[in-house]
Amino acid sequence: MPHLTSTEIAGRIEELYGAPLAALEAHAQDHPSGMLAALLGSHQDLAFAEQSIAFHRERLTRLVHPERQIGVHEVSHVVDCGRRLAEAVAVRDVQAKTVVAVLQSLGRVAQPAPVSVTVPAPAPPAPAASAPSR
């Protein structure tokens, strides 16, 4: 099964909580604990790993460009960039797998039925006490 991207994860979080991600993030700032905060944190970590993959892939592409000379100095940069790329891919895969497992274990809570407040009908007035007869 291919991993889900941070965009797909965001969509699933929005679907689960029934609100846009920006609103959920604002809510999580006020309530920093709980499942929502954990999911949003995992989403941010996944998005960062994806950005890191893109950055290191682009850097590695520039380092090994066919017209570029690769000497002893450049080899260490190529190896370092390859290592960082591999780490970012591993982090992305772990983050995606974990957040998908958590999302699959959760179900969207149905909106509670609106609570109707019924005011009891007023009791009929007590019969007026008759004045004592003389």
Side-chain angles (χ1 to χ4, degrees):
M1 175 177 117
H3 72 277
L4 294 178
T5 65
S6 61
T7 303
E8 292 166 321
I9 295 294
R12 290 202 179 178
I13 293 170
E14 289 175 340
E15 182 181 310
L16 180 66
Y17 284 91
L21 200 62
L24 295 172
E25 288 171 343
H27 176 76
Q29 287 179 354
D30 296 335
H31 304 79
S33 62
M35 184 56 68
L36 177 58
L39 284 171
L40 292 174
S42 293
H43 170 260
Q44 289 173 345
D45 292 343
L46 177 59
F48 181 77
E50 289 173 343
Q51 290 171 351
S52 184
I53 289 169
F55 173 81
H56 291 296
R57 183 176 33 221
E58 176 62 31
R59 183 166 182 252
L60 188 57
T61 301
R62 284 192 316 261
L63 288 171
V64 297
H65 192 273
E67 296 177 8
R68 184 180 170 130
Q69 290 286 343
I70 298 179
V72 175
H73 180 72
E74 288 79 17
V75 169
S76 65
H77 291 289
V78 170
V79 170
D80 181 59
C81 188
R83 179 186 58 78
R84 290 174 188 258
L85 179 58
E87 288 172 356
V89 168
V91 168
R92 185 239 6 234
D93 290 350
V94 168
Q95 287 293 336
K97 184 177 180 180
T98 301
V99 76
V100 166
V102 171
L103 284 170
Q104 287 175 341
S105 73
L106 300 173
R108 182 158 187 214
V109 178
Q111 293 287 19
V115 178
S116 61
V117 179
T118 56
V119 178
S130 55
S133 26
R134 295 187 194 189

